[in-house]
Amino acid sequence: MTDSAHIPVTQLQPPGADSEAVACSNCAACCCQLEVMLITETGVPERYISTDDWGGEVMLRLDDGWCAALDRDSMRCSIYEQRPLICREFEMASPECIEERRGMATIYR
């Protein structure tokens, strides 16, 4: 194989190695698979609300486990301005964010 035919390999940093490298734009929306309880009124449209086994309101998750409000094409929240308080507090590159990314490390290989 010649050098011109060689495809370079890019080594990605593991999640959490550098908080500057952590961004929603390079994530697999792993936070969108978490259980999200609705504890305040933010205007979440009814079609995205479900009831859990204990009678509490939660974000609806589809059969694939992802939040129903997640746009599958862009992997971004389709109701970002009306997202629940928990989603607002789950900050990019926070310890919780990094821990969730670490838990889904196979996506980043």
Side-chain angles (χ1 to χ4, degrees):
M1 183 181 320
T2 66
D3 285 339
S4 62
H6 179 30
I7 299 172
V9 175
T10 302
Q11 188 68 26
L12 300 176
Q13 287 184 307
D18 175 9
S19 63
E20 293 294 318
V22 176
C24 293
S25 62
N26 65 14
C27 183
C30 48
C31 60
C32 296
Q33 288 193 355
L34 300 174
E35 183 88 40
V36 175
M37 294 183 65
L38 302 177
I39 55 176
T40 62
E41 179 59 44
T42 60
V44 172
E46 283 292 323
R47 67 182 178 273
Y48 297 117
I49 298 175
S50 182
T51 304
D52 67 14
D53 293 339
W54 298 274
E57 287 189 332
V58 295
M59 287 297 292
L60 175 67
R61 289 194 290 169
L62 301 181
D63 292 339
D64 61 4
W66 296 96
C67 176
L70 178 68
D71 179 319
R72 303 312 199 275
D73 293 327
S74 68
M75 295 305 278
R76 300 288 178 108
C77 182
S78 66
I79 59 164
Y80 190 79
E81 293 302 318
Q82 293 104 8
R83 70 193 185 282
L85 177 64
I86 292 172
C87 298
R88 293 169 190 267
E89 292 180 343
F90 196 97
E91 294 183 23
M92 179 182 68
S94 67
E96 295 85 4
C97 170
I98 291 170
E99 184 62 29
E100 287 304 318
R101 287 173 64 109
R102 190 173 291 129
M104 296 183 78
T106 57
I107 289 175
Y108 300 101
R109 295 180 194 247

